[in-house]
Amino acid sequence: MGQMATATLLSPEVLAKYQPVIGLEVHVQLLTRTKAFCGCINQYGGDPNTHCCPVCLGLPGALPVLNRHAVELAVLASTAINCTVNEESVFARKNYFYPDSPKGYQISQFDKPLAEGGYIDVPAEGGGVRRIGITRLHMEEDAGKSIHDGFADSATRTYIDLNRCGTPLVEIVSEPDIRTADEAYEYLTRLKEILLYTGVSDCNMEEGSLRCDANVSVMLKGAAEYGTKAEVKNVNSFRFIREAIKYEIERQIEVVEGGGRVVQESRLYNSAEGRTYSMRSKEAAHDYRYFPEPDLPSLHVDAAWKKAILRDLPELPEPRRKRLQEQYGLTEQDAATITADRTFADTFEAAAKTAKSAKRVANLLLGELIGRLNTAGLSLDQSPVSMPGLVKAADLLEEGKLSSKQLKGLFDIAFEKSEDFAAVYEREKPQQISDTGAIETMIDEVIAANPKQVEQFKGGKTTVAAFFVGQVMKLSKGQANPALLNELVVKKLSAA
Ligand code: ADP
Ligand code: ZN
Ligand code: MG
């Protein structure tokens, strides 16, 4: 990554005088089979200018017909971000000229959007949550693409690919409630998680399925009015958005400190340099000459339709995290890791239900399996250790029939030989010492060698028992029956 450019050497005292204010506009492509207003396929890529028809090209006389599935996905997304879906919303023409939009306008929604008044909670810096308001979610269509490089004559020509024209989008506009670059990052992470859970978009940022513009301003702390905002457009990763916002905050403070004024404008982020550049002065809404789209009736989402749509609303990441903690006794961190991806969480829960201890399954999944998969460059469904295999391993641990050291060894073999856990276990059947006398002899040895820890135990620090279990396990080369060992250690220590 390029070096992060800092605007100046602004002192912490100067920075502390200002309050940054951030609002995000996120465009999300919907996962419909066809485009928003025609039957053309809605698919990334393809030979240039092959997924188009008179409707999405806006040829004279062509009439748009709204894609029902796009509305359904937009309603799902709206509800998942706590917006109220309006019974009636209105499509509008947003007029502007751009080479990748042959119509000369974009079908969007303006004063009557599909949904309004939502929020997403993000973790607050000092604990707890901060609620970031969502002003609106409206439906619109995407434009085509200008291709500025990749051709022999790219130095002198720009090419146009109109395949993307008419792709259904929702735009999600936040309130200016975000206060730091990190908070913006959290908001986006949660929003993306929700959109993936609801299946409304693949949110693939490389392919442009999710795009974000960041509006940034600064004001003196305690000021009554927000400062003038600049808009950083089209940054293609959340990490870069965070960097762009950090840069932009410092740049604006520098401008104000130098006695200047922040200009209302659109800016581009250069990730190699870590800075933003002025692109163009920003249009105001009236420049677009919005008017109601004459070729589309207003959109009605009545209670019955909404109810039918919302039958597909899954449990969302945040409540699921809470439930996993309560139901399975997972830590907050483990629950967060497991629920970050819906399929992963589903896989975990399916396995956890069949296991003797769900917590063991979580520990093995996150502690043993994922690391090995990452090292081997495999996804979960390519894992040599299947989920039933993982459950068997967890059960053996739970029953004390296997020590964790032995389990690690078996997992190593499973990955080396690409075999499932059950097969490896049946063949290797690791030795286990379940002879009470033999274990007691080892415990005596360890107790004799560690008088200080024995005293601690007697003094009430019962947790040192784990130390003795560990030492004996080592002495037994990982072969002592863990359940028996635990029991005997406590017994011996209490009698010592
Ligand atoms: P515009 O008409 O310029 O598009 P909007 O009022 O529609 O402005 O807001 C666009 C986005 O900018 C929203 O996400 C909003 O929260 C955010 N925003 C509005 N004013 C400010 C401000 N002063 N500083 C930072 N963000 C702002
Ligand atoms: Zn078309
Ligand atoms: Mg706006």
Side-chain angles (χ1 to χ4, degrees), residues 35 37-40 51-57 165:
K35 291 187 180 179
F37 303 110
C38 63
C40 289
H51 300 164
C52 321
C53 74
V55 173
C56 53
L57 297 180
C165 280

Side-chain angles (χ1 to χ4, degrees), residues 31-344:
L31 271 179
T32 54
R33 194 177 55 78
T34 56
K35 291 187 180 179
F37 303 110
C38 63
C40 289
I41 187 156
N42 171 22
Q43 193 179 69
Y44 177 78
D47 286 339
N49 303 306
T50 56
H51 300 164
C52 321
C53 74
V55 173
C56 53
L57 297 180
L59 299 187
L63 290 172
V65 177
L66 179 59
N67 182 335
R68 194 179 170 85
H69 192 213
V71 179
E72 291 167 348
L73 294 180
V75 168
L76 272 179
S78 301
T79 310
I81 55 176
N82 306 296
C83 282
T84 305
V85 176
N86 292 323
E87 280 232 9
E88 182 182 12
S89 60
V90 173
F91 287 97
R93 282 194 187 179
K94 182 179 182 181
N95 298 283
Y96 63 94
F97 171 80
Y98 215 69
D100 58 20
S101 175
K103 280 161 113 150
Y105 62 87
Q106 176 193 31
I107 301 180
S108 181
Q109 294 184 316
F110 185 51
D111 47 1
K112 287 189 176 162
L114 178 73
E116 296 169 273
Y119 62 86
I120 291 178
D121 287 336
V122 301
E125 246 157 67
V129 295
R130 281 205 65 225
R131 180 157 290 186
I132 309 300
I134 292 173
T135 317
R136 57 192 270 147
L137 177 150
H138 65 254
M139 300 185 69
E140 57 186 30
E141 60 178 337
D142 213 338
K145 278 186 207 166
S146 298
I147 303 167
H148 301 291
D149 38 42
F151 290 96
D153 54 356
S154 282
T156 53
R157 273 167 212 266
T158 290
Y159 287 80
I160 306 280
D161 177 7
L162 299 175
N163 280 353
R164 200 175 68 177
C165 280
T167 296
L169 295 178
V170 291
E171 177 174 345
I172 299 163
V173 183
S174 88
E175 290 286 314
D177 287 347
I178 299 166
R179 291 290 171 266
T180 66
D182 288 333
E183 219 168 72
Y185 183 90
E186 284 293 338
Y187 169 87
L188 290 169
T189 304
R190 267 140 229 278
L191 175 60
K192 179 176 165 185
E193 236 175 51
I194 291 169
L195 295 168
L196 286 172
Y197 259 65
T198 42
V200 302
S201 175
D202 63 22
C203 296
N204 185 332
M205 292 192 79
E206 281 91 63
E207 296 183 356
S209 310
L210 187 155
R211 313 196 289 272
C212 176
D213 302 336
N215 298 271
V216 180
S217 68
V218 299
M219 61 179 178
L220 282 172
K221 279 187 180 153
E225 271 180 44
Y226 292 149
T228 304
K229 68 182 180 345
E231 180 190 37
V232 186
K233 296 204 78 90
N234 277 332
V235 188
N236 64 2
S237 85
F238 290 175
R239 209 158 45 86
F240 286 155
I241 289 168
R242 181 163 58 186
E243 294 312 314
I245 292 173
K246 279 186 188 156
Y247 174 85
E248 192 54 25
I249 291 170
E250 294 201 7
R251 183 192 69 82
Q252 292 184 13
I253 293 177
E254 186 192 17
V255 169
V256 178
E257 280 287 306
R261 288 171 62 178
V262 174
V263 183
Q264 166 128 347
E265 62 182 355
S266 296
R267 298 179 68 89
L268 279 184
Y269 178 68
N270 180 320
S271 60
E273 298 176 22
R275 36 189 310 158
T276 64
Y277 287 97
S278 178
M279 183 166 77
R280 56 176 147 88
S281 69
K282 164 116 180 109
E283 303 81 358
H286 62 256
D287 292 331
Y288 291 117
R289 299 287 190 274
Y290 279 98
F291 62 84
E293 167 60 59
D295 292 338
L296 286 166
S298 60
L299 170 60
H300 292 266
V301 181
D302 62 21
W305 190 20
K306 200 163 83 181
K307 199 171 152 202
I309 295 169
L310 295 183
R311 271 187 223 123
D312 288 336
L313 190 69
E315 184 184 25
L316 294 171
E318 194 54 42
R320 190 168 197 183
R321 261 192 281 283
K322 294 222 175 70
R323 182 174 60 76
L324 289 197
Q325 287 178 54
E326 280 160 21
Q327 188 172 343
Y328 302 118
L330 302 189
T331 63
E332 193 179 339
Q333 179 58 51
D334 285 355
T337 309
I338 286 173
T339 51
D341 178 81
R342 183 179 165 187
T343 314
F344 190 73

Side-chain angles (χ1 to χ4, degrees), residues 385-412:
V385 174
S386 66
M387 290 311 283
L390 189 82
V391 170
K392 180 167 174 77
D395 285 352
L396 288 168
L397 275 183
E398 184 67 17
E399 293 166 334
K401 292 185 179 154
L402 205 60
S403 71
S404 51
K405 183 167 181 219
Q406 288 172 329
L407 179 131
K408 280 179 200 289
L410 296 179
F411 267 49
D412 285 343

